[in-house]
Structures are given as C-alpha cells and as structure tokens.
C-alpha cells in the first residue's frame, strides 16, 4: 500500500493534465481563439511536469529532479500568464 496510493494520484494528475491539454488543443484547432492555445500549452507543460514527478518520486531515486519539476511548473504558469497579457485586448 506504501507506493500504490502515490502512484494512483500521480497517474490521475498526469491523465487529467493530458485530457485538459488535448481538449483545449482540439477546441483551439476549431475556433483559433488564442487563450485556448496558451491554456493547452500550459496543461501540456503540467502533464510533462507530472511525468517528471512520477520519475522523480517512483522510478529514479538517486537523482533529484525537483529543479526540472520547478522549471516546468514555472514555464507552465509563465506561458499562461504570457497568454493573458498577450490576449489582453480580447479575442479578435
């Protein structure tokens, strides 16, 4: 039971991030609204962050991957923030 619960939680977080990125990307392809693109990119980076989290916590125990995870998280938030600022004038 020791590593089953974290594995399930990390896996569900990864699947949720991938589903959000895929749904946002699919909707962006239809509508071409810029915020959907930036949101999809943010969730894709969060999904990648979850992959690194799984590797860091469950697979690779010798190497600390927390700087990579922090960088990916910061990148995801930065991309979304850039999208908000870029799209400040509204959806045209």
């Amino acid at each position: 039971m020791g590593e089953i619960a974290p594995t399930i939680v990390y896996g569900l977080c990864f699947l949720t991030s991938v589903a959000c990125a895929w749904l946002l990307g699919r909707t962006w392809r239809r509508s071409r609204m810029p915020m959907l693109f930036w949101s999809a990119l943010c969730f894709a980076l969060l999904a990648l962050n979850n992959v690194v989290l799984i590797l860091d916590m469950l697979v690779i125990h010798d190497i600390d991957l927390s700087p990579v995870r922090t960088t990916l998280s910061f990148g995801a938030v930065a991309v979304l923030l850039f999208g908000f600022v870029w799209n400040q004038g509204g959806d045209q």
Side-chain angles (χ1 to χ4, degrees):
M1 181 76 182
E3 290 198 10
I4 293 175
T7 303
I8 292 171
V9 170
Y10 298 151
L12 288 174
C13 289
F14 169 71
L15 292 175
T16 303
S17 298
V18 168
C20 288
W22 181 72
L23 289 171
L24 287 165
R26 186 180 72 171
T27 307
W28 173 75
R29 279 190 296 172
R30 289 184 194 154
S31 67
R32 296 295 180 183
M33 293 179 64
M35 267 319 294
L36 292 173
F37 171 77
W38 295 114
S39 298
L41 191 57
C42 173
F43 276 100
L45 287 172
L46 290 175
L48 190 59
N49 182 38
N50 283 319
V51 169
V52 175
L53 176 67
I54 291 170
L55 291 174
D56 192 21
M57 296 296 176
L58 302 175
V59 178
I60 303 171
H61 297 287
D62 298 336
I63 301 171
D64 183 21
L65 296 177
S66 62
V68 177
R69 290 187 287 128
T70 302
T71 302
L72 286 170
S73 297
F74 177 75
V77 173
V79 161
L80 192 59
L81 188 61
F82 179 79
F84 281 134
V85 171
W86 184 270
N87 198 34
Q88 190 175 9
D91 294 325
Q92 286 109 17

